[in-house]
Amino acid sequence: MGSQRQSKKAVARSARPRSLLAQPGKPGVKTPVCRNLFGPVDHEASRADLRAQLQEIAERSRLRWNFDFQRDTSLEGRYAWEAVSVSVVPEWYKPVSCGVASSAETTPASEPVVFPKKPGFPERTSGSGRRDLTDFFEKRKRAASPFENTATCRRGMDELRPQPIAMH
Amino acid sequence: MALELICRESDVDAPRRAYFDRNLLSERVLDNLLAMEDRYVPHCAYFKCVQRELKPAMRRIVSTWMLEVCEEQRCEEEVFPLAMNYLDRFLCIVATSKSRLQLLAAACMLLASKLRETVPLTADKLCVYTDHSVYLQELLDMELLVLDRLRWDLAAITAHDFLEHLLLQLPLPPGKLDTVRKHCRTFIALCATDNKFISCPPSMVACGSVTAAVHGLQLEVGIPLLARQPLTNQLANLTHTDADCLRGCQEQIEELLENSLRHTQHPAPATEPKALDEIDSACTPTDVRDVNL
């Protein structure tokens, strides 16, 4: 298989690079796809209803696990919860702020964590790690962004990005 | 060898996928997929028995919008059918108001994209696509609600999961595989927008799309095994379905295709033809028109 052919294929696939895609978040950029389908929304009612349902979910899991996920405290019940040192917890349970930062840097080894870690019930805010991570790609191409990340996050993502000569 | 790798790696912006692993295209895997798919098929006619306010036309509107978002953001092919699967399964169990449907759709896309993509859609971007009729916090709350109602069971099987299994077994002319695959993917997306296929098992949608693609491209010429009858029988055999059932599904797909082509050939000012136009131009700009009906 000639490398010539291979490169042609690569060019064809990248005919519409992601950077040229519609970026509806950019000021002044609004594609026809950005539209409200079913008219005005009563956000107050919507929020109240969603809150109530999430509260019900939280209550259900609180009872199920006898653990208050909102306050991060254990309760009396079926399970006996005990704190474990961060150093013995597998990597994936440790809090990661932007996806790739090593937890050794972000969490002091002595700080105890409750095991298992909370599965992310209602306390999730707009600053969740997931969003920071995914927003990063956009941000690199924008001059000014409302969401500024930390330097560590930036470095981390750069390491994640595939390099043109990563494989020899 | 090194040169080839460099070429692929320089293609930074396109989503990168692993090569097909033959071991994952074995009969055992296909059988597992077939055994699992029923679990994820929306089980009720929810417009009749669950939803009071929602009408079938609203699903068409919302699904068309979802497809447009996925196309504009160049999501991977599985994201859209997967998001539709979440939407349908949610609507099977939760009565939802019209004003909440777009929020639900956005949450489904957010989840499907996270599950299937290396670089998922962001919640912010989805809010912008609703023209800010959905707020970020609402979207994040809704995401959690969908997860709970679907019991966190998101790895649903879509028609795309069957595609390679089926294509591998067919005596397709050399060099035609990519075209057939592309057509099939377009048809699968088309089926996901249409209400008739809500409770159709993904394997059947995949089979129907394959036959529609093969015959649309007139590949049966000179290859008797690809003629309508033997092809249907072979696919029915592979997916352990009844050939008549499969034929019914194929006819529905071909009908759907014909309708959407008619709309694209005679664009009308109404919104629906425009939507179908979008499907055509977004997925495979010229391919659909190449299909001879």
Side-chain angles (χ1 to χ4, degrees):
Chain A
M1 175 179 310
S3 61
Q4 190 80 31
R5 221 182 99 204
Q6 197 69 26
S7 95
K8 255 187 197 160
K9 211 171 170 185
V11 169
R13 275 201 300 147
S14 63
R16 270 169 73 202
R18 230 172 206 207
S19 51
L20 292 184
L21 287 180
Q23 297 196 351
K26 269 189 171 175
V29 177
K30 190 179 160 189
T31 72
V33 185
C34 300
R35 56 183 192 264
N36 175 356
L37 301 178
F38 301 108
V41 178
D42 182 350
H43 290 286
E44 275 308 308
S46 170
R47 192 169 316 168
D49 183 54
L50 283 168
R51 282 282 136 197
Q53 298 202 56
L54 293 186
Q55 196 54 47
E56 187 203 305
I57 294 171
E59 180 63 15
R60 215 182 328 126
S61 26
R62 193 179 67 85
L63 292 173
R64 184 177 173 199
W65 299 103
N66 62 271
F67 192 92
D68 190 331
F69 292 100
Q70 279 157 321
R71 290 191 192 83
D72 235 352
T73 50
S74 59
L75 307 163
E76 283 298 310
R78 193 175 158 208
Y79 297 99
W81 292 88
E82 56 181 277
V84 194
S85 164
V86 161
S87 56
V88 299
V89 172
E91 203 63 29
W92 56 83
Y93 283 117
K94 297 178 186 176
V96 177
S97 58
C98 55
V100 285
S102 133
S103 54
E105 290 168 21
T106 55
T107 327
S110 57
E111 185 193 316
V113 295
V114 178
F115 182 90
K117 251 332 238 180
K118 56 178 174 181
F121 271 125
E123 282 313 289
R124 217 173 95 168
T125 61
S126 57
S128 75
R130 189 67 174 182
R131 232 191 74 229
D132 289 345
L133 174 81
T134 51
D135 276 340
F136 188 80
F137 284 77
E138 291 303 307
K139 224 173 329 160
R140 297 182 85 234
K141 288 158 190 150
R142 292 183 202 170
S145 159
F147 311 99
E148 204 41 69
N149 258 331
T150 61
T152 42
C153 190
R154 188 172 297 265
R155 194 193 62 222
M157 286 310 297
D158 278 339
E159 280 161 12
L160 245 197
R161 274 183 86 83
Q163 298 300 309
I165 46 161
M167 298 174 95
H168 293 283
Chain B
M1 191 63 192
L3 269 177
E4 279 181 27
L5 283 171
I6 287 167
C7 289
R8 295 191 77 83
E9 293 290 332
S10 66
D11 189 14
V12 185
D13 280 319
R16 230 177 311 279
R17 306 203 65 157
Y19 289 107
F20 288 117
D21 182 346
R22 285 260 164 173
N23 295 314
L24 296 180
L25 295 176
S26 69
E27 204 183 328
R28 187 177 62 88
V29 177
L30 179 60
D31 286 343
N32 284 342
L33 285 172
L34 288 166
M36 298 267 292
E37 69 172 340
D38 280 343
R39 178 170 153 185
Y40 299 99
V41 175
H43 54 273
C44 71
Y46 57 76
F47 288 118
K48 282 187 190 137
C49 54
V50 183
Q51 306 298 335
R52 285 178 294 268
E53 201 184 327
L54 295 189
K55 299 278 170 285
M58 295 173 191
R59 184 186 182 272
R60 264 192 294 276
I61 293 171
V62 88
S63 64
T64 305
W65 172 73
M66 288 163 79
L67 181 59
E68 287 174 39
V69 173
C70 288
E71 290 297 341
E72 191 161 287
Q73 284 302 309
R74 238 173 22 126
C75 291
E76 294 188 31
E77 307 274 355
E78 294 95 336
V79 173
F80 171 62
L82 195 59
M84 288 310 294
N85 176 273
Y86 300 162
L87 183 104
D88 289 330
R89 279 162 64 205
F90 186 89
L91 292 178
C92 277
I93 43 178
V94 184
T96 305
S97 68
K98 184 176 104 174
S99 62
R100 206 73 78 68
L101 190 56
Q102 196 170 12
L103 168 62
L104 171 63
C108 292
M109 280 196 281
L110 183 61
L111 287 168
S113 172
K114 280 185 189 178
L115 196 82
R116 290 282 191 160
E117 294 201 278
T118 323
V119 185
L121 291 171
T122 64
D124 287 309
K125 203 174 264 182
L126 284 165
C127 289
V128 177
Y129 272 118
T130 67
D131 203 13
H132 299 286
S133 66
V134 162
Y135 294 163
L136 182 65
Q137 193 55 49
E138 287 173 338
L139 181 56
L140 298 180
D141 287 349
M142 191 65 178
E143 180 188 26
L144 211 47
L145 187 63
V146 173
L147 277 170
D148 182 75
R149 296 297 184 256
L150 300 186
R151 295 168 180 270
W152 295 74
D153 195 353
L154 296 190
I157 290 166
T158 70
H160 289 286
D161 295 319
F162 291 98
L163 206 51
E164 293 307 320
H165 287 271
L166 303 179
L167 294 178
L168 185 74
Q169 302 295 330
L170 302 183
L172 295 172
K176 286 287 180 192
L177 182 62
D178 283 343
T179 320
V180 175
R181 189 185 287 132
K182 222 159 140 195
H183 279 225
C184 290
R185 287 176 171 174
T186 308
F187 298 157
I188 290 171
L190 200 58
C191 290
T193 59
D194 196 274
N195 299 350
K196 265 191 246 130
F197 296 91
I198 293 175
S199 44
C200 189
S203 59
M204 202 170 269
V205 172
C207 289
S209 304
V210 169
T211 32
V214 166
H215 295 134
L217 293 164
Q218 295 182 332
L219 297 182
E220 71 271 27
V221 180
I223 308 177
L225 278 175
L226 291 181
R228 200 164 275 270
Q229 192 67 27
L231 181 62
T232 306
N233 289 343
Q234 192 191 354
L235 291 173
N237 214 4
L238 280 171
T239 54
H240 313 310
T241 0
D242 181 53
D244 287 331
C245 239
L246 202 53
R247 211 164 289 125
C249 178
Q250 283 162 18
E251 279 159 17
Q252 284 193 335
I253 292 182
E254 276 159 15
E255 195 184 316
L256 173 65
L257 183 64
E258 209 169 338
N259 284 338
S260 63
L261 283 176
R262 199 178 306 134
H263 281 303
T264 54
Q265 278 158 9
H266 307 283
T271 48
E272 205 169 346
K274 186 196 148 250
L276 289 159
D277 207 14
E278 193 64 38
I279 292 168
D280 183 34
S281 64
C283 287
T284 41
T286 49
D287 292 341
V288 180
R289 272 178 228 126
D290 290 342
V291 178
N292 293 313
L293 288 164

